[in-house]
Amino acid sequence: MAVFSGDWVLAFGILGNIISFMFYLSPLPTFYQIYKKKSSEGFQSLPYVVALFSSMLWIYYAFLKSDNTTLLITINSVGCVIETACICFYLFYAPKKIHTIKLIVLLILCGFGLIVFSNQLVVKASHRAHVVGWICLVFSLCVFVAPLGIVRQVIRTKSVEYMPFLLSFFLTISAVTWFFYGLLLKDYNIAIPNVLGFILGVLQMVLYVMYKNADSTAMNDKQKLPEIPQKIILLEENKIPELTEQIINIVKISALLNSETNPEVSQPSIDGIEEAHEHQNFPMEIEV
C-alpha cells in the first residue's frame, strides 16, 4: 500500500511540474502585448514579484525538509528563473518603475533575507521546516490572492483585456494537482493553499466567460465608427462642382460691378467677360 501511495505521489508530482511549467509560461501572450505596445501600462507586476518570492520560500522549505522534495525543488527553481525574466521584461517597458522596484526590495531582499536570517538564528533546527512551512502556506495564499486586483478591474471595466485566460486555466489545474500531491504526501502546507488557488482560478475563468462577449461587442462598435466620416466626405465631394459654379458666377458679378464703378480701367476685362458670356449664350446688359 505504501508503494502504491508513493507511486501516486510521484505521478502527481511530475504532473504538477508539467502543469506548473505551463502556468509559468502562460503570461507569454501578455508580454507579447506589452512588446507590441512598448508599454506595460494596464498590467500589474505584483503577481510576478509575489510568485518569485513564493518560489524562493518553497525552495528553502524543500531543503530544510529534505525528504520527498526533489520535485518541489525542480519546479520552483524553474519558477524563479521564469518569474525573474518576466519581472525584468516588465521593468524594461514599465512607464513607472519605482513601484515594482519597491516591491522587489521589500519582498525579495528584505522579506526573504529576514525570514532566512531569523529562522537560522532564532528557531531550533528541528522546528525550522515546520516554521518555514507555515510561512510558505501564508505566502502561497498571497500568490493566489494577488490576481484579485485584476479581478476587481475586470468587474469594474467589464473587460478581460488584462486577465489572460490561460493564466487562470493553468492556475486551476496546477492547484488541483499540487493539492493531491500534498494530500498524499501528508504535507498540508502544500495541500491547503491550493484549495484557495482552485477556487480563485475557477472564479477568474467564470469572469472571463461573462465579460468576453462584452469585449467583442466593444471591438465591433469601434470597427463601425470610421464608416460615418466616409459617408460625410462622399456627400461633400458631390457638392464640390455646384459650389465651384457658384463661385465662378460670384466672380463674374463682382467684375461687372467693378466695371460700373471704374469703366475706363476695367473696360478690357469687361470686354473679355462679354466675349466669354457670348460664347456661353448668357445675356448681358451694360449701362454706359
Side-chain angles (χ1 to χ4, degrees):
M1 183 66 183
V3 176
F4 180 75
S5 177
D7 291 340
W8 278 103
V9 169
L10 180 63
F12 276 105
I14 294 173
L15 185 62
N17 271 253
I18 295 170
I19 296 174
S20 295
F21 180 72
M22 299 301 294
F23 170 74
Y24 286 128
L25 293 180
S26 59
L28 286 179
T30 298
F31 285 98
Y32 180 68
Q33 292 182 37
I34 293 174
Y35 173 74
K36 289 196 300 183
K37 293 180 179 179
K38 306 300 180 185
S39 173
S40 59
E41 188 173 359
F43 297 96
Q44 298 180 3
S45 61
L46 179 63
Y48 308 109
V49 178
V50 174
L52 174 61
F53 179 65
S54 178
S55 295
M56 293 170 65
L57 277 178
W58 280 114
I59 292 173
Y60 180 50
Y61 170 74
F63 277 116
L64 289 174
K65 194 172 181 184
S66 72
D67 57 327
N68 295 320
T69 56
T70 303
L71 294 173
L72 201 61
I73 294 173
T74 55
I75 189 57
N76 283 288
S77 299
V78 172
C80 285
V81 174
I82 295 176
E83 296 299 341
T84 301
C86 289
I87 292 170
C88 293
F89 189 88
Y90 182 93
L91 282 172
F92 184 79
Y93 288 106
K96 296 179 180 179
K97 299 177 174 59
I98 188 66
H99 177 68
T100 304
I101 293 173
K102 286 180 179 179
L103 284 174
I104 294 171
V105 172
L106 181 64
L107 285 178
I108 307 302
L109 299 180
C110 297
F112 183 75
L114 181 63
I115 289 171
V116 173
F117 183 75
S118 60
N119 191 57
Q120 292 295 128
L121 291 182
V122 178
V123 182
K124 294 181 180 179
S126 58
H127 294 91
R128 286 172 187 169
H130 182 71
V131 172
V132 176
W134 276 99
I135 296 173
C136 289
L137 188 152
V138 172
F139 279 99
S140 291
L141 294 176
C142 293
V143 170
F144 295 126
V145 172
L148 285 180
I150 300 175
V151 170
R152 183 180 62 181
Q153 183 179 359
V154 169
I155 296 173
R156 181 173 54 84
T157 62
K158 295 181 173 55
S159 172
V160 294
E161 181 181 359
Y162 300 112
M163 188 180 73
F165 178 78
L166 287 177
L167 189 65
S168 305
F169 175 76
F170 284 114
L171 170 66
T172 307
I173 304 301
S174 175
V176 172
T177 54
W178 284 111
F179 168 77
F180 283 107
Y181 176 81
L183 188 66
L184 292 171
L185 201 59
K186 295 181 180 179
D187 191 332
Y188 299 106
N189 294 323
I190 299 174
I192 292 174
N194 287 288
V195 176
L196 180 62
F198 173 77
I199 295 171
L200 291 178
V202 171
L203 173 62
Q204 291 178 33
M205 288 193 294
V206 169
L207 288 174
Y208 188 90
V209 173
M210 287 175 59
Y211 293 113
K212 181 182 179 182
N213 293 332
D215 278 0
S216 300
T217 304
M219 288 297 295
N220 290 334
D221 292 341
K222 289 180 180 179
Q223 291 174 356
K224 290 179 180 179
L225 287 177
E227 295 179 2
I228 298 174
Q230 289 177 359
K231 292 180 180 179
I232 295 174
I233 292 171
L234 289 174
L235 290 174
E236 294 296 332
E237 287 177 352
N238 292 332
K239 292 183 179 180
I240 290 175
E242 181 182 349
L243 293 173
T244 305
E245 184 177 353
Q246 291 177 0
I247 292 170
I248 293 171
N249 291 335
I250 291 171
V251 171
K252 290 176 181 179
I253 293 171
S254 64
L256 290 174
L257 293 175
N258 289 334
S259 68
E260 292 178 1
T261 307
N262 302 309
E264 295 179 357
V265 177
S266 304
Q267 190 61 37
S269 62
I270 292 173
D271 294 338
I273 294 172
E274 287 177 349
E275 290 176 2
H277 279 273
E278 287 175 359
H279 286 294
Q280 296 179 4
N281 297 323
F282 285 110
M284 290 185 56
E285 293 182 2
I286 302 175
E287 295 182 1
V288 179

